[in-house]
Amino acid sequence: MEKRFSTLELEINERVATITLNRPDRLNAIDSVLIGEIGEVLQALEEDTSVRAIVLAGAGRAFSAGFDLKESAEKNYTTTAQWKAVLRKDFDFIMSFWRCRKPVIAAVHGHCLAGALEVAVACDITIADSTAIFAEPEVKFGSAVVSLILPWIIGPKFAKGLLLTGDDITAQRAYDYGLVNEVVDAGEHLARATKIARAIASAAPGSVQLTKSYVNRSMDIAGFTSALEAALDGAIILESTQGPERIEFNRIRKADGLKAAIEWRNNQK
């Protein structure tokens, strides 16, 4: 695929495609442009018979800080219809990794927060280096989790511990929870993810894709997709009503900037 992108880089080598989120100045925050470019790339890679596995990584200091709060604040969504449209788009972005016919391996370092954590969990395999930090801080400022995959992967107890506190956890704790498959030394996440991707690429592609699809199908039989859709409906209601915490977060952001608002959020006791 010969095309330059503004928010990501794509490299294909030895039947493995590596997608690198490339907004390092924004900690690879996920904006509408990135969502569009990822959609285009994943569709092309699914159709490319020379590609058998995909690695997803982040440039700079982090995998990703999650959805771009600055962009959403500038859009100033207020109505239920507006929130429904944007959250559906965010939800489908996250789930595109789950639904991709070809296996996707997330290579995580640094911060992996909120929507980015959901992306990492939606990938088939997740490798984290020792610098990785995971969190779903939405409850701290009255927001909602877009795609509630976490309970299905790590169980309701561990999921509630993360989701109800908004606290962050280390790579080792994420491994203990079953959120990641392996923890490697700092800086080794991409090499390890690529090695796994090449092992997958050496297997029979039809068998690999069928196996992935039926593992996912077993989750659907248990109610996976229906539960996520129900949680999305709840997220739309929460975002469109905006409680006092979200109002205060937005007030501080407008008055003093996003950094001050995030500091306020993180200091809530």
Side-chain angles (χ1 to χ4, degrees), residues 72-229:
S72 63
E74 290 172 350
K75 298 284 187 181
N76 194 30
Y77 304 116
T78 56
T79 69
T80 300
Q82 289 173 327
W83 277 110
K84 184 176 182 179
V86 70
L87 291 182
R88 167 55 65 180
K89 185 177 180 180
D90 293 347
F91 178 88
D92 288 341
F93 163 74
I94 293 165
M95 296 307 295
S96 66
F97 299 96
W98 180 270
R99 294 166 180 159
C100 181
R101 289 187 296 109
K102 298 177 181 180
V104 185
I105 299 94
V108 177
H109 75 297
H111 285 89
C112 180
L113 308 178
L117 186 153
E118 295 160 50
V119 167
V121 175
C123 291
D124 302 290
I125 296 170
T126 305
I127 305 300
D129 84 356
S130 58
T131 70
I133 297 293
F134 298 87
E136 286 270 20
E138 286 87 344
V139 295
K140 291 188 174 182
F141 60 106
S143 192
V145 175
V146 176
S147 182
L148 199 61
I149 307 174
L150 208 56
W152 291 83
I153 304 301
I154 67 174
K157 287 286 188 180
F158 288 146
K160 287 176 183 176
L162 283 173
L163 298 171
L164 301 183
T165 65
D167 291 342
D168 57 29
I169 59 171
T170 64
Q172 183 59 49
R173 181 61 64 85
Y175 174 79
D176 294 340
Y177 283 178
L179 196 157
V180 304
N181 295 75
E182 296 181 27
V183 178
V184 297
D185 290 341
E188 296 298 317
H189 55 296
L190 184 55
R192 179 57 181 153
T194 302
K195 184 175 181 179
I196 293 171
R198 286 179 178 156
I200 292 171
S202 70
S207 180
V208 167
Q209 291 176 28
L210 184 70
T211 300
K212 169 174 176 169
S213 71
Y214 274 91
V215 171
N216 288 3
R217 178 62 179 149
S218 70
M219 300 276 279
D220 276 340
I221 291 170
F224 176 76
T225 298
S226 296
L228 265 58
E229 290 284 350

Side-chain angles (χ1 to χ4, degrees), residues 11-32:
E11 180 181 355
I12 300 175
N13 188 27
E14 296 182 32
R15 298 179 294 191
V16 173
T18 301
I19 302 170
T20 304
L21 308 180
N22 192 29
R23 301 185 72 211
D25 56 321
R26 298 282 301 158
L27 291 182
N28 300 318
I30 302 162
D31 67 356
S32 57

